[in-house]
Amino acid sequence: QADVDAGSVENAATASGNPPTGEPVEEPGEEIVPIESAPGLSFVKVGEVAGDGFAGDVVTFTFTVSNTGNVTLDGVSVEDPMVGLSELSYEWPGVEGVLAPGE
């Protein structure tokens, strides 16, 4: 994943051989292969009322954010400007604010 996040895979190798006489020979080689960044998010918001839908009944909203891309996302957050909402709480699969691809 680190290579994808960096945008390329770098590889250095050396070929070597021993001739019948003389010193061994070797030749280094290096290749950098670019990897296209394709960030993506999926966002689902679901609301559920506790009660029969009367004034004063609590509505709980659940947000699910998924990383659908191929690079790690950081600074991930959800903002909801609705008046009267309590502070959002998060459940992270790993490091807070970070979603790896597929998380």
Side-chain angles (χ1 to χ4, degrees), residues 33-98:
V33 179
I35 298 177
E36 187 174 334
S37 173
L41 277 178
S42 168
F43 181 62
V44 177
K45 179 178 180 179
V46 176
E48 185 176 338
V49 65
D52 296 319
F54 291 103
D57 286 350
V58 173
V59 177
T60 300
F61 292 99
T62 302
F63 307 97
T64 303
V65 180
S66 302
N67 183 345
T68 60
N70 71 342
V71 293
T72 302
L73 302 173
D74 64 10
V76 177
S77 65
V78 173
E79 294 182 28
D80 190 328
M82 185 177 187
V83 175
L85 290 180
S86 60
E87 184 176 336
L88 297 177
S89 64
Y90 295 84
E91 293 180 22
W92 297 101
V95 176
E96 183 175 329
V98 176

Side-chain angles (χ1 to χ4, degrees), residues 22-37:
E23 297 293 315
V25 292
E26 64 179 45
E27 179 70 24
E30 184 175 326
E31 182 71 15
I32 299 174
V33 179
I35 298 177
E36 187 174 334
S37 173

